Amino acid sequence: MQLEILKTYKLYIGGAFPRTESGRFYKLENNKKEVIANMCLSSRKDFRNAVVAARKAVEGWSGRAAFNRGQILYRIAEMLEGRKMQFIEELILQGATKANAEKEVRQAIDRCVYYSGWCDKYQPLFGSINPVATSHFNFSVPEPTGVVSVLADENSSLLGLVSVIMPIIVGGNTCVVLASETKPLCSITFAEVLATSDLPGGVVNILTGNSKELHTHFASHMDVNAVVYCRENVEEAKAIAELSSLNVKRSFFWQKDWTKTEHENPYLIMDLQEIKTTWHPIENIGVSGAKY
Amino acid sequence: MNKSWISPTIDQVGVEERVTRFNTRSVKKESKMQGMLLALNMIDLTTLEGKDTAGKVKQMCYKAMHLADDIEGLPTVAAVCVYPNHVKTAKKALQGSNVKIASVATAFPSGNSSRKIKLEDVKIAVTNGADEVDMVISRGEFLAGNYNFVFDEIAAIKEACGPARLKVILETGELSTLDNVRKASDIAIYAGADFIKTSTGKIQPAATMPVTLVMLQAIKDYYDESGIMIGMKPAGGISTSKQALQYLVMLYETLGEKWMTNEWFRFGASSLANDILLQLGKEKYGVYYSGDYISKD
């Protein structure tokens, strides 16, 4: 008989899979109280390192052609499809029924496809050409906010994670995500999907660990431009709202039931965009005297 | 022949082992703060690009004097390091401050030119007001075994420097072995260098800890023998405060407290200052800080 080879779940920072710098871990149990994995218990320094990686990746990722970002997001869906069975197994290991596990993975794949389509469409749709009284061509376009920190849904191992990462990176942002503490397995396997999807390292960074310990840093780090909180702890939410004010960070509270398709929409993309308006001087052109 | 004139051979594995041990020292809290302030004060803020302009040099000089005005108690950097044609601009911009002006010279960075032109280059730098001259050795001649040529050249340039202190760049990234690094260090020291410096920053690898350790050891051996202190300047590739602290640990444990000042130790770096400021910003504001609040140049 062959020995079963157990997987070491590590972190995903800057395109690499390091262990936590703190050397700490926590035991993950299934509902029969059996240990199923040792997970990295990330420290604030891991978070700091992840933010450095995310910051570094902003320029390259946001500078890519929108269509190319769409291709990469679609590639994530392809890779996810290929690894379907592994995700289903992990979901079952973490307490889901087979039917629910299959449904969750299906939905996660669909969500990737859904958002990949938005990459080159949200700007034309939400941008505008503005009528002005002077001889200027005046237009507004959404642009990425920058580095986004995320405390992902605690109750959803895969779908909750994918549903927040996708709208963030569609728009050229990069992110640092704290995965569910009690259902973390899919997050690191999803990181393996990302690592093989042509997504540049640092665009998505995934940590596992304890929200109580880390949430204040997610909100107070001056080099993070927005924070998204997807959990139900009111005290943590309050602290995040308060600490975000330090550098006028945008804070969003996405406590949603991600199984509902109404929560896949371009308005989540737009939450993490900033509108830039440009005044471009022009001559009067055209017989009608149009100012553009 | 006097035995001390023969450079010892270097045990590369031993050097690497020792460096690994320096990197395990834990420098925290108060001593970390002290270390970072010291490192800031040892920086030669550098711009050595073909596209340098007077505007960029002025901006850098301002930065040298005002690292971050919202954080109290910051030192200035030790010096700015520019090309000879920008020395005048720097001199004017730095008036009234203690920041020194270092100028590279001698056909930096390749050093491939005639002795006459190299000396002229040095003279221009010194006449324009450089306090320190950073010269490059002729690596081609060194590697071909013409040690006398290298020695004489350094000696001639030392003479041309007059009162300016001379830093000799070995460009260790082109010297291949640690034995060569030691040999070149000894040649530079005996030929009259006030400082020895690892790299131009134009060649990879630039400064590394093993190379710096070998050079520090050469300085130590010379000091033990003659009682004369020589300065050390690792340059290029040191961009984080953590690395800077590791270099300081190595300096302290190799040469001791006497060298722990910008009179005898410098970091040649352009982005190290900002990384240290990020750490000090965190200390001041209590949260992880951002480059958005620190001037880039």
Side-chain angles (χ1 to χ4, degrees), chain A residues 34 95 123-124 144 169 185 212 247 260:
Chain A
E34 296 159 344
Q123 277 183 318
I169 64 174
L185 294 185
K212 197 176 167 202
N247 66 336
K260 297 209 167 103

Side-chain angles (χ1 to χ4, degrees), chain B residues 44-61 79-86 90 102-104 108 200 202 268-270 297:
Chain B
D44 280 6
L45 207 57
T46 303
T47 181
L48 295 171
E49 288 171 12
K51 62 180 183 190
D52 285 348
T53 59
K56 166 136 198 228
V57 171
K58 270 185 219 156
Q59 178 60 38
M60 190 180 74
C61 291
V80 296
C81 185
V82 294
Y83 273 115
N85 55 332
H86 289 298
S103 171
V104 296
F108 181 92
T200 59
K202 305 287 180 198
S270 50
D297 298 309

Side-chain angles (χ1 to χ4, degrees), chain B residues 1 8 52 59 113 115 136 149 162 180 203 216 275 283 288:
Chain B
M1 196 177 173
D52 285 348
Q59 178 60 38
S113 189
R115 173 99 29 111
V136 287
F149 180 96
N180 277 347
I203 296 281
L216 289 172
D275 193 72
E283 214 49 42
Y288 285 121

Side-chain angles (χ1 to χ4, degrees), chain A residues 129-148:
Chain A
I129 294 168
N130 315 313
V132 289
T134 55
S135 56
H136 288 91
F137 179 43
N138 183 298
F139 55 97
S140 303
V141 268
E143 291 198 339
T145 293
V147 175
V148 182

Side-chain angles (χ1 to χ4, degrees), chain A residues 54-70 73 115 118-120 122-123 142-148 165-175 199-200 202-204 225 268-270 272-274:
Chain A
R55 172 59 61 200
K56 222 170 163 182
V58 171
E59 197 183 339
W61 181 238
S62 62
R64 276 183 190 246
F67 183 71
N68 183 230
R69 284 206 302 270
L73 262 60
Y115 280 110
W118 271 111
C119 284
D120 57 356
Y122 76 92
Q123 277 183 318
E143 291 198 339
T145 293
V147 175
V148 182
I165 289 177
M166 285 297 148
I168 291 170
I169 64 174
V170 162
N173 299 294
T174 63
C175 60
L199 187 77
V203 173
V204 175
N225 305 102
L268 296 181
I269 303 174
M270 288 307 295
L272 297 156
Q273 296 286 304
E274 295 174 13

Side-chain angles (χ1 to χ4, degrees), chain A residues 19-89:
Chain A
R19 291 179 169 81
T20 165
E21 63 82 38
S22 66
R24 305 174 308 168
F25 67 95
Y26 68 98
K27 287 190 188 308
L28 185 67
E29 293 173 347
N30 62 11
N31 42 20
K32 289 180 200 146
K33 297 283 171 200
E34 296 159 344
V35 174
I36 50 178
N38 290 326
M39 301 302 299
C40 286
L41 185 58
S42 302
S43 66
R44 64 189 168 90
K45 284 192 182 167
D46 293 315
F47 171 66
R48 180 194 61 187
N49 294 344
V51 171
V52 170
R55 172 59 61 200
K56 222 170 163 182
V58 171
E59 197 183 339
W61 181 238
S62 62
R64 276 183 190 246
F67 183 71
N68 183 230
R69 284 206 302 270
Q71 288 175 307
I72 292 172
L73 262 60
Y74 191 83
R75 176 91 176 150
I76 295 174
E78 289 176 8
M79 294 292 111
L80 206 51
E81 179 82 42
R83 290 217 193 193
K84 214 161 39 178
M85 295 317 292
Q86 191 180 358
F87 284 100
I88 292 172
E89 276 172 26

Side-chain angles (χ1 to χ4, degrees), chain A residues 183-231:
Chain A
K183 296 179 178 174
L185 294 185
C186 295
S187 68
I188 300 304
T189 307
F190 183 63
E192 291 159 14
V193 165
L194 297 176
T196 49
S197 301
D198 300 327
L199 187 77
V203 173
V204 175
N205 304 275
I206 299 179
L207 307 177
T208 55
N210 180 255
S211 169
K212 197 176 167 202
E213 181 187 341
L214 292 173
H215 74 281
T216 53
H217 300 288
F218 272 58
S220 66
H221 196 310
M222 300 287 273
D223 209 26
V224 172
N225 305 102
V227 53
V228 178
Y229 186 73
C230 308
R231 304 187 181 190

Side-chain angles (χ1 to χ4, degrees), chain B residues 92-128:
Chain B
K92 203 168 154 201
L94 289 170
Q95 238 165 21
S97 78
N98 293 323
V99 181
K100 299 240 179 341
I101 299 164
S103 171
V104 296
T106 70
F108 181 92
S110 74
N112 279 330
S113 189
S114 66
R115 173 99 29 111
K116 191 173 154 204
I117 289 195
K118 290 185 187 181
L119 289 171
E120 200 57 36
D121 206 13
V122 172
K123 266 178 220 152
I124 291 170
V126 176
T127 330
N128 285 349

